[in-house]
Amino acid sequence: MDATLQKYIDKLNALNFKEMYEGDFFLTWDKSDDELEAVFTVADALRYMRENNISTKIFESGLGISLFRDNSTRTRFSFASACNLLGLEVQDLDEGKSQIAHGETVRETANMISFMADVIGIRDDMYIGKGHTYQKEVAEAVTQGHKDGVLEQKPTLINLQCDIDHPTQCMADMLHIIHHFGGVENLKGKKIAMTWAYSPSYGKPLSVPQGVIGLMSRFGMDVVLAHPEGYEVMPEVEEVAKANAAKTGGSFTKTNSMAEAFKDADIVYPKSWAPFAAMEKRTNLYAEGDADGIKALEKELLAQNADHKDWCCTEELMKTTKDGKALYLHCLPADINDVSCKDGEVEASVFDRYRTPLYKEASYKPYIIAAMIFLAKVKDPQTTLKALEERGIARWFQK
Amino acid sequence: MDATLQKYIDKLNALNFKEMYEGDFFLTWDKSDDELEAVFTVADALRYMRENNISTKIFESGLGISLFRDNSTRTRFSFASACNLLGLEVQDLDEGKSQIAHGETVRETANMISFMADVIGIRDDMYIGKGHTYQKEVAEAVTQGHKDGVLEQKPTLINLQCDIDHPTQCMADMLHIIHHFGGVENLKGKKIAMTWAYSPSYGKPLSVPQGVIGLMSRFGMDVVLAHPEGYEVMPEVEEVAKANAAKTGGSFTKTNSMAEAFKDADIVYPKSWAPFAAMEKRTNLYAEGDADGIKALEKELLAQNADHKDWCCTEELMKTTKDGKALYLHCLPADINDVSCKDGEVEASVFDRYRTPLYKEASYKPYIIAAMIFLAKVKDPQTTLKALEERGIARWFQK
Amino acid sequence: MDATLQKYIDKLNALNFKEMYEGDFFLTWDKSDDELEAVFTVADALRYMRENNISTKIFESGLGISLFRDNSTRTRFSFASACNLLGLEVQDLDEGKSQIAHGETVRETANMISFMADVIGIRDDMYIGKGHTYQKEVAEAVTQGHKDGVLEQKPTLINLQCDIDHPTQCMADMLHIIHHFGGVENLKGKKIAMTWAYSPSYGKPLSVPQGVIGLMSRFGMDVVLAHPEGYEVMPEVEEVAKANAAKTGGSFTKTNSMAEAFKDADIVYPKSWAPFAAMEKRTNLYAEGDADGIKALEKELLAQNADHKDWCCTEELMKTTKDGKALYLHCLPADINDVSCKDGEVEASVFDRYRTPLYKEASYKPYIIAAMIFLAKVKDPQTTLKALEERGIARWFQK
């Protein structure tokens, strides 16, 4: 047995993640520390095997259904890559091309697309109070369909971003942090600043900052959430972060000063988002079909944003971080000053310096998704990883 | 050899379906009883093997081309599932994205997309006199292309719904009936009511009622076609149904009373469709580009529909069926009263009671399609099924 | 070892194409004669193996990314077929569905889609000076991403048509010519006429005529480029053609007479294109967002085209070719008189007579693309082809 792979298996042997089998992945705070650790470990193992030309296809056939209710490049390709790595063919449910009847229940659509679906990945992040609920409904529908004998297998639901959390993004961010600092054990006491930043666009989802404070607060770090007044995130998620911090000996604090957040930070994550209250209002306006109200709100929000153009990740601010070289994170694409817009989230020179680490950060996402699927689909991951190595099918055949 | 699989093989051994090899599937009445029986048997065998984690991939590579000239969820995913089950990758011919020149012949397009196509699935149900003709043209084009040495293989054409028949739907409906009643042998003398029902939408295809009377009349059942005056289906298909009934000792009758059709029925299939004559008229108006005529026709048809809101599958009507519990069928999505619309095809409580059976009905479609492909692609299905079992590749690999 | 396959391997053994490994394919004139010969030979070998039911899947998993900035049927399906033949799943980067930020760098997008991409195929032929440059940028970005450890593999870039060349089309045309005349060795002294032809549409890319003169001039043939005054192609490519002809003992000449070009020609390729200078002007107008200028230019170009309706491949002209039966080529779809338009590139009777050869011409494209990928991905193609034969996995499994 390959020594590195054995190391991953040993790591898994020490963890309890039995409940993940046949499960779904909605929010990181639904999962135990062991379960998250299992995801990181399987992600590393799958990447290691691919790098060493060992096929990890566990499906000879089967579909991975994707449903994107918002545009996507990174997550779309990450999901497609993860499915492909495990042997599933992606079939996109394009609601435009579909004959989904007015009033057709979620339960019906979910079953109709799932006869041979092993996985369903959904991005639905636009409206507060909707995305997560919809994902839950789909998961319940197919669980019921499986029980009723309609579906031969229960498809696993993977949250590819909802109104509350963006677990595949934040877990990828976290795996990047872990590798950057040489292991989870080195994170205790590190300071991470999740801060708002100015963007000329409006209505960016809250799932990234919420996902970050909900996840990063579990590793004994000092998590600071910074934003101008009025850019609050969902209070429930702040409660999650507080509770996490209390349990792990870290801290969760809030500030309205970007400078304070950056001061001595080991990690900074400056990123724009819309105020939670405004997003709630927008959701209601859409529900009421109030086009004038939506336009007025948009104008108001853009004006509000413009009051905070000084919330930018500048070279000057970066100098105030730990040794002047905090790890800069972003989920991409970033609004870069004088590149994508006049004033944005980050100065071009800062972004450029971190380009390679940022791309590496993104490169973990396909493996995080694949690991989530693997753990939901394989009853005994350790034995199966070993069996895949023994099977010895090359991913890339050449002599 | 697994006993259940052996049973399916024994069944196939007693049937003559040699002509299906290298064939296409346009209309159920093109096929002999043995051939239809072979489709049902292979569908059951493939499902059994998938349930028992035996891969039925007969293609290592190859494409399944889909062309949907109408929106679709169920059939789209069923076709994708069937192709995937057999090892073919679906490639959608999106005519919008394509560079199909004005005046380009069907023959040319058909060949250009088929260099590595093993299957072509087409839905083209919008215009009377067009869909079936188009499918025939495509099949002839690729048959010729294969003969001429342009194509290394002759792609199999599968009718995913045309203006005349919807064989993958009706065969799935029928397989559901067969399993519900415990075998074809139990269908003799059963009464099935294919009846029109009110829907607030307009222009629904006739292929389902036509497909149903053309197929269900072959099993010794009493088939009743019910609709308001003016909602006639294609006379040629009625002739098919009459001839079928005569041959099998069943009957085919028509009525303008929904109540009469439901009375003592074992199976009911209440579903909206547009009048054949109106659809013919619409096809001509489209050909002439007469937008005003189309609008006027639409208005007229909606008004005509509205005269028949009483054609609804109510609890009251259901009570009049055999023991008050006829098997309720629908191709989905249904227009459900107070769910998808105010007045529709069926009362919500009736629909809800039959939800699980309806989903099961739909679940046969991927297997019906896969069986049609399998029988067109495999010269000796019995030996190949056996060989697939012996090959013993798991669909879902885990240790 | 199969004798025919051995013949292909012997042929490869005599060629030097080492540099193709881990390379890209932009322009045919970037490649040596040996390298082009290797592409033709591997294309033939892959086709031979597929015809003999030997799977040539060299990838168990992996993605082939396609990016079409122009509509496409033939090339889209050819690319999908090639990827599928080698085991890659096609994932289309639909820029409409993507969240590509304003100002997002090519470098970033290229990396974000490539985490598991083995191949990227791009069609970008609309604007002079843009398509090729864009493809180069993408290739450099992923090469850098691979060096930086972001990407585990360097995706191969395949030019599926740019503003300069259309190598997959012209190589397929050429392989058709080679087979038609019984081998490269028989081409010396043959006359090929690449001529402009009238089309009622406007702005057709120049990449086909440019690709043809840049490639066909390498085989000792007499290449004649014919067009009305004002329909010049890129001068740089004419220089390439001249230099090629000088090296191989053929010739490259120009004329403004279609009749002169057809006279005694062995091969004719009559096809419409837009004048290079006009395309350059259009590119600038688009860059300036000058809608009125674009409209005016379009009108001007259509009027200019209409002056040359006599540039049509007629029966009369065909009679003047060698023995009255030159091989007629077209990349399809053609503008056919009285079929796709009143006046077009070719008379219907000419086109009809060459229909089967034209379809065969097109049928080489998937194999040309597959061969380009194979040679970029496999270090030792000869040994790998042999190993694929020995592996003996059937493409189409049946007993």
Side-chain angles (χ1 to χ4, degrees), chain C residues 188-189 217 219-222 243-251:
Chain C
K188 220 148 208 120
S217 51
F219 300 89
M221 295 196 281
D222 294 319
N244 284 343
K247 258 204 300 197
T248 62
S251 65

Side-chain angles (χ1 to χ4, degrees), chain A residues 16-17 28-38 218:
Chain A
N16 174 11
F17 50 87
T28 61
W29 47 93
D30 290 343
K31 303 293 177 189
S32 72
D33 291 347
D34 271 16
E35 289 170 344
L36 297 187
E37 187 67 21
R218 298 174 74 160

Side-chain angles (χ1 to χ4, degrees), chain B residues 119-152:
Chain B
V119 181
I120 303 174
I122 301 179
R123 156 165 293 182
D124 185 351
D125 54 9
M126 302 284 276
Y127 305 114
I128 291 293
K130 307 281 180 187
H132 176 63
T133 308
Y134 176 71
Q135 293 183 5
K136 280 278 189 184
E137 269 180 74
V138 170
E140 276 155 29
V142 295
T143 302
Q144 190 60 45
H146 179 51
K147 268 190 205 145
D148 291 341
V150 171
L151 307 178
E152 281 140 40

Side-chain angles (χ1 to χ4, degrees), chain B residues 223-280:
Chain B
V223 178
V224 182
L225 176 67
H227 55 75
E229 255 183 89
Y231 286 82
E232 281 69 27
V233 301
M234 292 173 75
E236 304 89 296
V237 184
E238 294 192 1
E239 290 312 311
V240 167
K242 271 182 223 166
N244 284 343
K247 258 205 300 200
T248 62
S251 65
F252 172 68
T253 52
K254 288 171 59 179
T255 171
N256 292 139
S257 156
M258 196 174 189
E260 195 184 312
F262 265 58
K263 180 102 188 63
D264 292 324
D266 298 277
I267 306 161
V268 294
Y269 204 139
K271 199 215 158 296
S272 191
W273 67 81
F276 167 60
M279 286 300 93
E280 243 185 341

Side-chain angles (χ1 to χ4, degrees), chain B residues 86-348:
Chain B
L86 300 178
L88 299 174
E89 186 182 344
V90 171
Q91 184 71 13
D92 192 43
L93 174 58
D94 182 329
E95 290 178 310
K97 278 189 200 169
S98 283
Q99 180 197 16
I100 296 176
H102 178 68
E104 178 173 329
T105 58
V106 171
R107 185 168 163 198
E108 184 163 315
T109 313
N111 274 278
M112 293 304 115
I113 60 173
S114 295
F115 297 127
M116 297 199 187
D118 290 292
V119 181
I120 303 174
I122 301 179
R123 156 165 293 182
D124 185 351
D125 54 9
M126 302 284 276
Y127 305 114
I128 291 293
K130 307 281 180 187
H132 176 63
T133 308
Y134 176 71
Q135 293 183 5
K136 280 278 189 184
E137 269 180 74
V138 170
E140 276 155 29
V142 295
T143 302
Q144 190 60 45
H146 179 51
K147 268 190 205 145
D148 291 341
V150 171
L151 307 178
E152 281 140 40
Q153 69 296 322
K154 187 197 97 65
T156 293
L157 199 136
I158 303 288
N159 173 7
L160 298 177
Q161 189 168 3
C162 71
D163 52 323
I164 303 179
D165 194 5
H166 193 345
T168 64
Q169 178 65 48
C170 299
M171 297 278 289
D173 298 338
M174 192 64 214
L175 190 49
H176 177 57
I177 293 174
I178 292 170
H179 285 296
H180 181 83
F181 289 99
V184 181
E185 58 279 13
N186 300 328
L187 299 181
K188 225 157 202 114
K190 292 272 181 295
K191 178 177 176 184
I192 172 166
M194 175 75 238
T195 106
W196 192 86
Y198 170 73
S199 154
S201 85
Y202 125 91
K204 298 212 175 187
L206 292 102
S207 47
V208 169
Q210 291 174 170
V212 165
I213 64 166
L215 175 65
M216 310 298 184
S217 51
R218 299 175 74 160
F219 301 88
M221 296 196 281
D222 295 319
V223 178
V224 182
L225 176 67
H227 55 75
E229 255 183 89
Y231 286 82
E232 281 69 27
V233 301
M234 292 173 75
E236 304 89 296
V237 184
E238 294 192 1
E239 290 312 311
V240 167
K242 271 182 223 166
N244 284 343
K247 258 205 300 200
T248 62
S251 65
F252 172 68
T253 52
K254 288 171 59 179
T255 171
N256 292 139
S257 156
M258 196 174 189
E260 195 184 312
F262 265 58
K263 180 102 188 63
D264 292 324
D266 298 277
I267 306 161
V268 294
Y269 204 139
K271 199 215 158 296
S272 191
W273 67 81
F276 167 60
M279 286 300 93
E280 243 185 341
K281 201 169 157 190
R282 189 177 69 152
T283 301
N284 295 334
L285 291 169
Y286 270 104
E288 294 157 13
D290 180 353
D292 288 343
I294 291 165
K295 256 188 222 163
L297 178 65
E298 180 175 341
K299 213 174 146 184
E300 187 189 307
L301 285 173
L302 285 172
Q304 186 183 343
N305 271 10
D307 285 344
H308 307 291
K309 289 198 180 170
D310 53 324
W311 284 70
C312 177
C313 179
T314 59
E315 289 287 6
E316 208 177 333
L317 264 178
M318 284 302 288
K319 278 188 199 132
T320 70
T321 65
K322 177 71 66 57
D323 304 327
K325 44 183 190 183
L327 180 64
Y328 166 81
L329 300 184
H330 200 285
C331 54
L332 305 180
D335 284 319
I336 307 165
N337 293 8
D338 296 318
V339 177
S340 29
C341 50
K342 201 181 160 312
D343 299 299
E345 299 169 315
V346 60
E347 281 184 0

Side-chain angles (χ1 to χ4, degrees), chain B residues 58-62 65 89 97-99 102 104 107-108 118 148 152-153 377-379 384 387, chain C residues 47 50 57 71-74 77 84 90 340 355-356 359-360 363 367 394-399:
Chain B
I58 53 171
F59 292 102
E60 265 288 292
S61 68
I65 312 292
E89 186 182 344
K97 278 189 200 169
S98 283
Q99 180 197 16
H102 178 68
E104 178 173 329
R107 185 168 163 198
E108 184 163 315
D118 290 292
D148 291 341
E152 281 140 40
Q153 69 296 322
K377 290 301 178 187
V378 170
K379 199 167 185 177
T384 300
Chain C
R47 186 163 199 158
R50 191 176 192 278
K57 262 177 76 170
N71 283 339
S72 171
T73 308
R74 286 146 192 79
F77 276 80
N84 177 266
V90 170
S340 28
R355 195 177 284 277
T356 299
Y359 292 179
K360 279 190 188 157
S363 77
Y367 292 101
R395 181 191 84 81
W396 178 351
F397 177 90
Q398 53 171 323
K399 296 289 165 180

